[in-house]
Amino acid sequence: MLISIRQLLQSPIARKLTLSIVIFSSLITLVTTAYQLVSDYQNDVSRIDRVFSNIEAVNLEVLAASLWVIDEHLIDTQLRGLSQLPDINYISIRDDSNQEWHFGEYKNTAVIEKKYPLIYTNNENIPVGTLIVQADLNVIYDRLYNKTILILLSNAIKTFLVAGFILFLVWFNVTKHLRHLSKYCDDISLDHNFTPLDFNRKPQHDEFSLVADAVNTMQRQIRGSYQALRQSKVDLQHALEDRDRLLLLERSYKDELTRQVKEQTKELEQSLQMLKRTQQVLIEKEKMAALGGLVSGVAHEINTPIGICLTAASSQLSHIEELIKLIHSDDATLEQINEILEQYQQSSQLIVSNITRASYLIQQFKSIAAEQSHEQNTTFNLSHQLRDITDSTLMIFSPQEVEITISIDEQLQLNSNASLLSQAITNVVSNAFSHAFKDVTQAKIHINVVTEPESIHIEIQNNGAAIPNDIVEHIFEPFFTTARHKGGVGLGLAAAFNAVAQLKGNISYVPISPLGGPMFVISVPRLPTA
């Protein structure tokens, strides 16, 4: 029994339960005691008020009559009788001449005091004095204090007994079995024989019987799994032995295969050397063919304006000779001189325009050459750059009317090569002006800028005609054009492609755009702004 009590007192559950019971019982006791004391105090005060009411109703007239005749013996007898009333500690009568009769001790604190005027009635009301009555509250306080001590002491004893009985029940029905369960779980070992959990009590169906069934079932399952694991370990060992034999067999196969592979590799290396030599010859032929086509295109494009310039210059020489002869002749007229000068002026204009065209061709050809730009990257406002490009393009192609709109964050800053990016965008927009709006009444171009964390995509859309499929695969090739008869040289999109490549970006063609026509998408990396 002593061991059980010691275990009970050492149990955390028991200590928490005891503290909870004591605190709750103490709160209930304090509340009920306070309520009872307040009720008793109100009852005592009500009793004193009833005594005062009885004095006022019964004794005032008698005392007034005694005071009227100044019967001191009767006054003393009446005061002594009133002082015997419950809780009355002091009573006094004072007449109108300040003569006083009193009984008891007058107090200033812890009292209830009433003053009543004494009026003698004889055909008229005549004031004869004053009655003062005091009721002592200390008696009530002492009685309430003693009662409080008794209530608290009795409730403390009752709480102790109830808490002790509850703790004993908890220990007997719960804690003892929990300790037994804890000790049983500590002693569980898969190396020992299975012993079912038993709480050593009468058979009954409650939570502990369910716990015992669950623990016993869990042990059986664990032991079954442990046996299966041991068997799996044995099987795994056998499998490892089989694997070792297979590895030996595989190693012999690999050695044989390696030998065969080496032989085949030597043959393939010889074939590869032959293929490389053949490939080198083909590459050289392809380079020469491409270079020939490129040089032929450049020569053809530049030869035309230079030939025109040569013809115009020769014409100018003949015009000058005619002019000299005409000036030295005696019958020269102003009209003849003006006619020769106008022809000379036309030849000069033809020379200037074709030289300008040749210079433009050379600049365009330089723009598609590798490593054309060595400018440093700068940070610029992309919105302002796009608007400058569109304004200049509209001015160049005036009076052709095209509505150009731009969707972009006005505050977007881009760190890149502004010249290369402007060249690419200008060439794509100019290509749309030149080729897209042949049969379109209301031409539109929309530039939409899509930003991503690491790149920027510039979508140049239009509502014109799409490029035929057989032409799309050649649109970025130098000198490829479908408008050579109109003066086109086929360097616009090739220059745009080369500029975007130097920006480490890419340009792609989309047949259908949200605007209805084709779309070119220029994608460039988004470098950190300075």
Side-chain angles (χ1 to χ4, degrees):
M1 185 65 180
L2 293 177
I3 296 176
S4 300
I5 294 175
R6 184 168 61 253
Q7 293 175 350
L8 176 62
L9 295 177
Q10 293 176 352
S11 173
I13 296 178
R15 291 198 297 269
K16 290 181 180 180
L17 187 60
T18 302
L19 182 62
S20 301
I21 293 173
V22 170
I23 292 175
F24 183 75
S25 299
S26 300
L27 290 176
I28 296 299
T29 300
L30 291 176
V31 172
T32 55
T33 302
Y35 177 77
Q36 186 172 355
L37 292 177
V38 171
S39 178
D40 291 347
Y41 176 78
Q42 291 177 349
N43 291 333
D44 290 339
V45 172
S46 298
R47 187 182 67 250
I48 293 174
D49 289 338
R50 287 195 297 273
V51 170
F52 285 168
S53 298
N54 290 333
I55 293 175
E56 182 180 6
V58 176
N59 301 97
L60 291 183
E61 293 183 359
V62 177
L63 289 173
S66 301
L67 192 60
W68 174 259
V69 297
I70 310 179
D71 188 346
E72 294 185 359
H73 178 71
L74 182 59
I75 292 173
D76 288 338
T77 302
Q78 290 175 339
L79 291 180
R80 185 179 298 276
L82 292 175
S83 66
Q84 299 300 318
L85 293 175
D87 301 314
I88 301 300
N89 68 298
Y90 176 80
I91 188 166
S92 169
I93 294 178
R94 180 176 297 176
D95 61 7
D96 51 1
S97 62
N98 288 329
Q99 185 177 357
E100 183 179 2
W101 296 269
H102 67 273
F103 191 87
E105 183 180 356
Y106 183 83
K107 295 182 179 180
N108 294 319
T109 59
V111 295
I112 298 177
E113 180 179 301
K114 293 286 185 177
K115 292 183 179 181
Y116 301 101
L118 298 177
I119 299 175
Y120 179 71
T121 303
N122 185 14
N123 296 326
E124 60 179 348
N125 296 329
I126 302 174
V128 294
T130 302
L131 173 65
I132 300 175
V133 182
Q134 275 190 352
D136 190 3
L137 294 180
N138 288 318
V139 178
I140 297 175
Y141 294 156
D142 292 340
R143 184 166 58 252
L144 292 178
Y145 176 76
N146 295 331
K147 191 172 184 179
T148 300
I149 297 299
L150 179 61
I151 291 173
L152 294 178
L153 184 61
S154 62
N155 277 281
I157 295 173
K158 179 176 65 176
T159 301
F160 175 78
L161 294 177
V162 171
F165 181 70
I166 292 175
L167 290 177
F168 174 76
L169 292 178
V170 170
W171 172 82
F172 186 78
N173 292 298
V174 178
T175 308
K176 180 175 69 173
H177 301 313
L178 291 177
R179 294 182 64 86
H180 179 71
L181 176 61
S182 175
K183 186 175 182 305
Y184 177 83
C185 292
D186 289 338
D187 295 337
I188 291 177
S189 175
L190 296 177
D191 297 330
H192 300 159
N193 294 329
F194 171 62
T195 302
L197 175 62
D198 186 9
F199 288 106
N200 299 322
R201 58 181 188 155
K202 295 180 180 180
Q204 50 184 320
H205 186 72
D206 58 5
E207 287 79 0
F208 284 104
S209 63
L210 296 176
V211 170
D213 294 340
V215 171
N216 294 330
T217 301
M218 180 185 66
Q219 270 213 84
R220 293 188 185 95
Q221 293 175 350
I222 292 176
R223 290 178 182 275
S225 300
Y226 180 69
Q227 294 298 328
L229 183 61
R230 294 182 62 180
Q231 183 62 38
S232 299
K233 182 178 179 182
V234 174
D235 296 340
L236 182 59
Q237 290 177 349
H238 294 161
L240 290 175
E241 294 174 357
D242 295 338
R243 189 199 64 173
D244 292 339
R245 289 192 295 270
L246 291 174
L247 287 175
L248 291 175
L249 183 60
E250 181 184 5
R251 190 173 295 111
S252 63
Y253 289 154
K254 282 185 177 180
D255 293 339
E256 178 64 21
L257 182 61
T258 301
R259 186 185 63 79
Q260 295 178 4
V261 168
K262 287 182 179 179
E263 294 177 356
Q264 295 292 331
T265 301
K266 291 181 180 178
E267 296 178 0
L268 292 175
E269 287 178 351
Q270 295 174 358
S271 300
L272 182 60
Q273 292 298 329
M274 295 178 63
L275 288 174
K276 285 183 177 180
R277 287 193 293 269
T278 304
Q279 183 184 24
Q280 189 66 29
V281 172
L282 292 175
I283 290 174
E284 292 298 328
K285 289 183 178 180
E286 186 67 23
K287 283 183 178 179
M288 293 304 296
L291 181 60
L294 180 60
V295 172
S296 176
V298 173
H300 173 76
E301 294 297 334
I302 296 180
N303 187 54
T304 300
I306 290 178
I308 294 173
C309 289
L310 183 59
T311 303
S314 301
S315 177
Q316 281 187 343
L317 289 176
S318 64
H319 293 157
I320 290 174
E321 292 176 357
E322 291 179 6
L323 181 61
I324 292 173
K325 291 178 181 180
L326 187 61
I327 291 175
H328 289 86
S329 65
D330 296 332
D331 56 349
T333 63
L334 183 60
E335 292 179 358
Q336 291 175 335
I337 295 175
N338 287 337
E339 183 179 355
I340 294 174
L341 290 176
E342 287 177 0
Q343 292 176 354
Y344 184 82
Q345 183 181 13
Q346 292 175 359
S347 299
S348 299
Q349 291 175 351
L350 190 61
I351 291 173
V352 171
S353 64
N354 281 275
I355 289 177
T356 303
R357 177 175 174 80
S359 175
Y360 172 76
L361 289 172
I362 293 172
Q363 291 298 326
Q364 290 292 317
F365 180 70
K366 288 173 61 180
S367 68
I368 64 172
E371 304 295 337
Q372 65 153 346
S373 177
H374 299 282
E375 295 183 8
Q376 296 293 329
N377 289 346
T378 59
T379 300
F380 56 91
N381 186 287
L382 184 56
S383 175
H384 296 168
Q385 191 80 0
L386 291 176
R387 299 192 190 283
D388 291 342
I389 292 172
T390 55
D391 291 343
S392 61
T393 305
L394 288 172
M395 185 179 299
I396 292 172
F397 287 92
S398 179
Q400 185 177 359
E401 294 185 0
V402 178
E403 179 185 350
I404 301 180
T405 57
I406 301 175
S407 296
I408 188 175
D409 180 7
E410 297 293 337
Q411 306 300 323
L412 178 61
Q413 299 290 322
L414 181 61
N415 183 18
S416 185
N417 189 316
S419 298
L420 290 176
L421 184 61
S422 297
Q423 177 187 351
I425 298 173
T426 300
N427 287 353
V428 173
V429 175
S430 300
N431 186 73
F433 272 84
S434 301
H435 303 283
F437 307 121
K438 181 179 180 181
D439 299 323
V440 178
T441 57
Q442 188 175 1
K444 294 181 180 180
I445 293 178
H446 178 66
I447 301 177
N448 181 44
V449 179
V450 180
T451 61
E452 292 184 356
E454 297 182 356
S455 61
I456 290 180
H457 307 285
I458 304 173
E459 301 174 349
I460 305 175
Q461 312 169 11
N462 65 72
N463 64 338
I467 301 175
N469 294 331
D470 57 340
I471 297 178
V472 169
E473 59 184 3
H474 302 290
I475 58 177
F476 295 118
E477 295 179 3
F479 299 106
F480 177 82
T481 179
T482 59
R484 197 175 301 277
H485 61 284
K486 296 181 180 179
V489 295
L491 294 176
L493 292 181
F497 181 88
N498 191 61
V500 174
Q502 292 187 57
L503 292 173
K504 295 183 173 53
N506 61 79
I507 180 171
S508 59
Y509 171 76
V510 180
I512 300 296
S513 70
L515 207 58
M519 172 174 65
F520 285 89
V521 181
I522 298 175
S523 301
V524 294
R526 188 173 185 180
L527 303 177
T529 57

